[in-house]
Amino acid sequence: MKLSQFKFDLPESLIAHNPVENRDEARLMVLDKKTGAIEHKIFKDILGYFEEKDVMILNNTKVFPARLYGNKEKTGATIEVFLLRELNRELRLWDVLVDPARKIRVGNKLYFGDDDLLVAEVVDNTTSRGRTIRFLFDGTDDEFRRNIEILGETPLPKYIKRKATAEDKERYQTIFAKKEGAVAAPTAGLHFSRELMKRLELKGVDFAEVTLHVGLGTFRAVEVEDLTKHKMDSEQFIIEQKDADIVNKAILEKRRVCAVGTTSMRAIESAVSAGKELKAANDWTSKFIFPPYDFSIANCMITNFHTPESTLLMMVAAFGGYENVMKAYEVAVKEKYRFYSYGDAMLII
């Protein structure tokens, strides 16, 4: 398939810059992938689509406050450092993006916080905006991470044209987030409230957790018309045996197995056994899913509404059927659904 097949007109006004007041009261579009039929609901109505022993697969990654603002030594110029991933915990080496990149060179020292709570040195260039930095910090790892918490800002995507607030710290995080390592939230999971989770549990729905640490590659634009030539960034994922067992039992019993979000889907599709079962894994994946694609594990998916020509839209189109999904997106624009991280949700059954 070609990149241009995933173009559609998305009015700027439909990009959600703030979450709805209650997590589970975002709008929900339900798409039947066999018939293409569409229903309009509220997210908590999802309860009506699941039965006892169905399984939801959740991504339990936790977003850390990855955006730091600091100053360059000597000039005092303000700089932004976006922490991508920790390369070496003992040496405090991090892979980062910097802005303005042209002014940040190897050997520069960077200072963060009013009283220079953290200091870092640039040790290498990785890409045009990418750098490797080493934090010069003598305290314990817990103290270091506490300082990152104090100084760091919730890494809202760039298209949200406002500063991150205290509310974002809570709302740009799923209620089941446990394992720190993501620089972007697995957004389909943001719609689950504690009450809704409890009601699903009472109904007998099982939950399996996977971890996929979402990287900035999630937002990287596709720049080639021929999709087979696009390369995804690698993301770390972990699936434990007990969670694989929950999923495989549901597959065997022909239950509904629902991937909550494109990140959960990427993780499980990266760990399929020869017998089409989910296997335990601790690995990195750069899997790029676009139509046509034969899914092995999930037969149901919850996702948000994604932007034109994004890899996320391509995965959803592979799952729900290209024609079905593009038609559903036309309806979503017409019905003024809210798009992207803080936007509304879609259930594909």
Side-chain angles (χ1 to χ4, degrees):
M1 289 202 89
K2 303 280 185 249
L3 175 65
S4 50
Q5 288 174 269
F6 294 91
K7 257 199 177 99
F8 65 93
D9 285 328
L10 176 61
E12 185 71 29
S13 61
L14 295 187
I15 292 181
H17 291 265
N18 293 284
V20 291
E21 192 177 343
N22 297 315
R23 285 180 186 266
D24 57 14
E25 288 179 358
R27 291 165 77 192
L28 175 72
M29 180 187 284
V30 183
L31 171 66
D32 184 318
K33 62 179 180 164
K34 286 198 179 70
T35 65
I38 287 170
E39 296 177 277
H40 301 289
K41 302 279 187 178
I42 298 294
F43 192 80
K44 56 185 171 191
D45 296 336
I46 216 154
L47 204 60
Y49 294 87
F50 291 88
E51 302 298 331
E52 191 176 354
K53 295 202 164 65
D54 287 345
V55 170
M56 286 187 172
I57 303 171
L58 310 171
N59 183 3
N60 66 12
T61 188
K62 189 174 185 183
V63 180
F64 63 93
R67 189 171 275 127
L68 299 174
Y69 293 98
N71 302 96
K72 216 175 113 180
E73 67 173 334
K74 297 192 178 88
T75 65
T78 302
I79 43 115
E80 180 188 317
V81 172
F82 193 102
L83 304 174
L84 290 176
R85 65 176 71 124
E86 190 171 37
L87 300 173
N88 184 311
R89 187 166 279 204
E90 275 172 54
L91 298 176
R92 304 204 200 285
L93 282 178
W94 284 75
D95 189 10
V96 304
L97 293 177
V98 295
D99 206 17
R102 66 187 184 285
K103 295 196 170 159
I104 300 174
R105 301 192 175 92
V106 172
N108 285 163
K109 280 212 174 73
L110 312 173
Y111 295 87
F112 304 95
D114 294 340
D115 46 2
D116 302 337
L117 203 53
L118 287 176
V119 180
E121 183 180 12
V122 182
V123 295
D124 200 6
N125 294 324
T126 50
T127 60
S128 58
R129 285 183 57 218
R131 303 286 184 273
T132 302
I133 67 172
R134 180 172 61 234
F135 284 100
L136 311 171
F137 186 78
D138 292 333
T140 65
D141 196 56
D142 282 349
E143 288 166 341
F144 173 69
R145 275 161 209 287
R146 205 155 40 244
N147 287 354
I148 296 280
E149 278 289 329
I150 292 165
L151 296 170
E153 197 178 85
T154 303
L156 292 181
K158 283 284 193 196
Y159 67 83
I160 292 183
K161 305 278 194 288
R162 62 175 177 80
K163 291 283 277 178
T165 64
E167 186 197 20
D168 292 310
K169 201 164 185 136
E170 184 215 338
R171 295 299 302 273
Y172 195 64
Q173 192 83 271
T174 64
I175 61 164
F176 41 79
K178 287 190 187 109
K179 300 194 174 168
E180 195 168 82
V183 299
T187 55
L190 296 178
H191 301 292
F192 287 84
S193 63
R194 286 195 166 72
E195 187 197 14
L196 180 58
M197 294 281 282
K198 195 77 207 150
R199 289 172 72 194
L200 285 162
E201 262 174 51
L202 290 171
K203 199 166 183 183
V205 174
D206 289 326
F207 297 99
E209 293 187 4
V210 299
T211 306
L212 182 134
H213 291 315
V214 191
L216 270 192
T218 296
F219 304 112
R220 198 182 300 289
V222 180
E223 290 168 344
V224 286
E225 177 66 2
D226 177 355
L227 297 185
T228 60
K229 300 211 162 38
H230 177 68
K231 295 277 183 285
M232 294 286 280
D233 286 8
S234 238
E235 294 173 318
Q236 187 184 19
F237 75 102
I238 300 156
I239 300 170
E240 292 182 14
Q241 189 62 54
K242 64 178 172 48
D243 295 294
D245 291 344
I246 292 168
V247 172
N248 292 331
K249 185 169 181 283
I251 293 172
L252 195 63
E253 294 175 358
K254 298 196 166 22
R255 306 282 179 195
R256 192 161 266 177
V257 176
C258 187
V260 177
T262 55
T263 60
S264 297
M265 187 70 90
R266 186 180 299 118
I268 60 180
E269 285 297 318
S270 301
V272 181
S273 72
K276 298 272 175 138
E277 287 194 327
L278 184 61
K279 56 185 189 186
N282 186 340
D283 208 347
W284 291 78
T285 179
S286 52
K287 195 171 197 61
F288 176 28
I289 298 174
F290 59 94
Y293 181 86
D294 188 17
F295 289 83
S296 300
I297 305 295
N299 51 25
C300 161
M301 181 181 194
I302 297 169
T303 185
N304 276 26
F305 287 94
H306 306 293
T307 50
E309 300 185 317
S310 60
T311 58
L312 309 175
L313 171 58
M314 291 164 195
M315 183 195 288
V316 174
F319 188 77
Y322 173 79
E323 265 84 21
N324 282 344
V325 168
M326 296 313 281
K327 178 82 185 73
Y329 268 58
E330 247 178 72
V331 172
V333 170
K334 201 166 107 233
E335 297 290 331
K336 295 191 165 34
Y337 273 74
R338 300 162 81 245
F339 277 67
Y340 231 28
S341 301
Y342 274 150
D344 294 318
M346 180 189 244
L347 168 66
I348 305 174
I349 52 176

